[in-house]
Amino acid sequence: MSILASNSDSVRAASEAQSAQDDPPQAWKQQSWQQQMKSAIRDLATLGERLRIEVDIEATSGATAQFPVFVPLALLDRMEPENPSDPLLLQVLPVAGEDQSPEHFSVDPLEESAATLKPGLLQKYQGRVLMIATGACAVHCRYCFRRHFPYQESPTSMAQWQPAIDEIAADDSIEEVILSGGDPLTIVDAKLSDLVDALGEISHLKRLRIHTRLPIMIPARVTDGLIELLAQSRLQLIMVIHANHAKELDGSVADALERLATAGVMLLNQSVLLRGINDNSQALIKLSQRLLELRVLPYYLHQLDQVVGTSHFEVSPERGIELIKQMRAALPGYAVPRFVKELPGEPNKTVWA
Ligand SMILES: *Cc1c(COP(=O)(O)O)cnc(C)c1O
Ligand code: SF4
């Protein structure tokens, strides 16, 4: 049986009673990024109520117990109410049957456990290592390939990062550290500053890359403190943001990205090809055009990793290759991302188009 939040009078009454005590709907705009992490929506019923859409709480309870709903209000603000197919909503909406993926969908499709050098440090490719700096994110994306990652085992403090830092310091073939997660920008400025400083002291490191969705999910994360701590590093800085649809990139995101670009951070974007969200050439072309306006180069379009719980997002590789062809015919070459798939054991990501 499903619980239809928007149709049930009792649920509606309860939510009205609740929201009367709540802050006004736009109050988050005055909140710091940390307050916005706290005020994020964490359950499906509230998400359904706020957007006035039907949600199936019972049929998704297994999926949400394993990977809870997490939607910051700054993202909710960009979703269209009463539209169950909104491309931002679909990225975060648990669906019935998520836990019944086909058999070839696994919990560790990239064989990451084999690439772990130290807790929280992965190396698959020459010259660069990936540091899982934290397990926390500012949004829970239902297609996430890390949804089964053993984050409890990941380090989250300077003392816990030290073995990974020592490992990087001991190997002068490493030129670039990628801070990933989770989302490394969920780490507060003071702690992040210590980590960036410690990496800056490793003389053979040239570049620091940060993989993050935070400037998009909660643009207020791009604080003066963050800009300062990045600008003072001797390392070359690259930030790879993660937008899947042009609707994510509103004025507040544009301001945050402008501040990063002005501070000298090279901005790239990665997307995942997602059924019903961006699997048409119009959506992908618009995304690239909007990214260019914001001084962000489209870097990768990823074929979905086959992780349990994500099969409803899958688009065929043939379709992906066709979409890239259509993009190439419509955009300057630098605005077309590389369509890639990560195959275990390969020396680089495999480029399909
Ligand atoms: C994707 C990935 C990288 C980065 O690869 P690039 O092609 O340089 O963007 C590095 N390490 C790991 C483990 C990765 O999964
Ligand atoms: S922000 Fe990145 S790591 Fe976090 S859930 Fe989304 S895709 Fe996964």
Side-chain angles (χ1 to χ4, degrees), residues 115-123 130 155 162-168:
T116 303
L117 298 177
K118 283 277 178 280
L121 191 69
L122 303 180
Q123 182 163 30
L130 189 145
Q162 201 57 51
I165 293 168
D166 293 344
E167 182 79 19
I168 297 163

Side-chain angles (χ1 to χ4, degrees), residues 112 122 124-125 128 130 178 209 299-300 342 349:
E112 290 202 325
L122 303 180
K124 290 186 191 165
Y125 307 137
R128 50 221 197 273
L130 189 145
I178 302 167
R209 191 194 318 183
Y299 180 40
Y300 280 152
E342 201 169 324
K349 296 195 201 297

Side-chain angles (χ1 to χ4, degrees), residues 284-302:
L284 289 172
I285 290 167
K286 266 198 188 157
L287 173 61
S288 273
Q289 288 168 334
R290 180 64 176 148
L291 287 165
L292 286 190
E293 280 175 8
L294 307 181
R295 292 204 263 171
V296 184
L297 273 187
Y299 180 40
Y300 280 152
L301 174 67
H302 292 270

